[in-house]
Amino acid sequence: MTGGLMSSPDSPNAPALLQTPLHALHVALGARMVPFAGYDMPVNYPPGILAEHLHTRAGAGLFDVSHMGQAYLDGPDHAATAHTLERLCPADILNLAPGRQRYTQFLNEEGGIVDDLMVTRPVGADGALSLVVNASRKAVDFDLLRARLPANVRLTILDTLALIALQGPQAASVLARFAPDENIGAMPFMSARKVRLLGVEANISRSGYTGEDGFEISLPAESAETFAKRLLAEAEVKPIGLGARDSLRLEAGLCLYGHELDETTDPIEAGLNWSIQKRRRIEGGFAGAGRIQAALANGPRRKRVGIRPEGRAPARDGAEIVNEAGAVVGIVTSGGFGPSVGSPIAMGYVASDYAAPGAPIGLIVRGKTLAASIVALPFHPHAYYRGP
């Protein structure tokens, strides 16, 4: 969900990079480490990004996402906490059931996206909501929340927790071995619960950002390395770095903050209409509601689209998109090679008149115009577990 790589830590006056609880394990596994959102993070391991990507699609990939921001909102009851969050987010949090999770966005007063995040309503904790926000935006997000919290709702930053993602078609069977009495395999997509893993209490959700079935596991930082090593001892599991995480989410047509999402972009342009439930569309009452409701009624001026370049040359973020007359009609926000689809792929924004699948476009790459076309998203089908 979060933005691109940071400048080198060797540059003058660069701040020292933070480390996740799994940092020593990444180094021991031979990871190539890079600065990312203020952290020293693994971009890939010795097998390489292509192998890691394809393994996640076939087996189970272990991702360190401990750099993300975890927090807890706690109020006198669910309605009070939900209404507090709904002032900033367009999702229906009030009707979020216990044990369920929802994807939404923090919005500014103009309807632009401050960040995208996951919100979970824990079972048995009335008045509580747990949040996971992007690493590069967590300071902004938490300041925004603090400025808007009423006296009876408290924000707690959970900086003593690690977060591990286990993604891929074998993820459920692997994780179930660590909690055989919990019936983890029956959890539906976007559900969450508390379990004990190797004697440690953890919060797990059946979610992730690869397009595959999988889980995110929040557990005490001091237990993270032991648990990660036990997962990696399973034959189906391999460590996966940021490089494959990015190519997996791009194939799945999922937004990345700082690329598809920023403070000038609203959720309707981004194709996130589905994340705004009917009650909120009608009632409004959230930051930037006027812009969102107008875009829902009249359509946005531009739309996020999938792009398939012809040939083998990829188009990277920042490449201009032109129509058949050569006029600029949009810009690429993410692009690269899709290992599972075997060709270059990209996402970007174009004027709504050019957003229909099949529309021919050109991409300006190194001063040349490459032929491409608009395609439907995702590039690779989602494999979320919806139930038996």
Side-chain angles (χ1 to χ4, degrees), residues 93-170:
I93 307 299
L94 181 63
N95 291 308
L96 182 62
R100 300 295 296 182
Q101 187 176 64
R102 192 156 275 168
Y103 169 82
T104 189
Q105 309 85 35
F106 285 132
L107 301 180
N108 60 29
E109 294 301 326
E110 293 73 45
I113 299 172
V114 176
D115 198 9
D116 59 337
L117 68 151
M118 301 294 280
V119 180
T120 302
R121 183 179 177 186
V123 174
D126 189 46
L129 292 169
S130 64
L131 315 177
V132 178
V133 304
N134 282 311
S136 64
R137 301 295 288 174
K138 57 187 176 184
V140 173
D141 296 343
F142 297 152
D143 284 348
L144 182 65
L145 277 167
R146 289 187 189 100
R148 297 295 189 93
L149 289 182
N152 62 348
V153 177
R154 183 176 66 254
L155 172 68
T156 302
I157 310 303
L158 303 175
D159 52 9
T160 61
L161 298 178
L163 191 63
I164 295 170
L166 188 67
Q167 299 283 295
Q170 303 300 319

Side-chain angles (χ1 to χ4, degrees), residues 194-211:
K194 223 172 243 188
V195 300
R196 290 193 71 81
L197 301 169
L198 300 181
V200 174
E201 189 172 88
N203 290 296
I204 65 172
S205 63
R206 197 162 198 169
S207 58
Y209 226 62
T210 61

Side-chain angles (χ1 to χ4, degrees), residues 36 54 100 111 138 224 257 335:
F36 184 79
L54 295 175
R100 300 295 296 182
K138 57 187 176 184
Y257 198 89

Side-chain angles (χ1 to χ4, degrees), residues 31-117:
R32 180 164 68 93
M33 307 296 289
V34 299
F36 184 79
Y39 286 79
D40 196 26
M41 295 293 291
V43 70
N44 64 271
Y45 299 87
I49 293 172
L50 177 63
E52 292 172 27
H53 177 113
L54 295 175
H55 177 82
T56 304
R57 293 273 187 244
L62 186 150
F63 300 76
D64 180 10
V65 287
S66 301
H67 58 311
M68 307 286 277
Q70 299 185 69
Y72 205 64
L73 280 181
D74 193 24
D77 53 45
H78 176 66
T81 312
H83 284 310
T84 296
L85 197 57
E86 284 187 354
R87 295 189 190 106
L88 293 171
C89 298
D92 183 351
I93 307 299
L94 181 63
N95 291 308
L96 182 62
R100 300 295 296 182
Q101 187 176 64
R102 192 156 275 168
Y103 169 82
T104 189
Q105 309 85 35
F106 285 132
L107 301 180
N108 60 29
E109 294 301 326
E110 293 73 45
I113 299 172
V114 176
D115 198 9
D116 59 337
L117 68 151

Side-chain angles (χ1 to χ4, degrees), residues 235-282:
E236 302 94 331
V237 182
K238 293 186 184 302
I240 313 296
L242 294 172
R245 185 168 183 251
D246 191 47
S247 58
L248 288 158
R249 72 91 198 166
L250 177 56
E251 285 189 341
L254 301 174
C255 296
L256 181 66
Y257 198 89
H259 289 251
E260 285 71 44
L261 307 180
D262 59 34
E263 293 208 38
T264 69
T265 302
D266 69 53
I268 312 309
E269 294 173 313
L272 301 176
N273 311 40
W274 56 269
S275 69
I276 306 175
Q277 288 71 37
K278 183 178 179 179
R279 177 178 72 85
R280 306 307 315 280
R281 296 184 187 205
I282 296 171

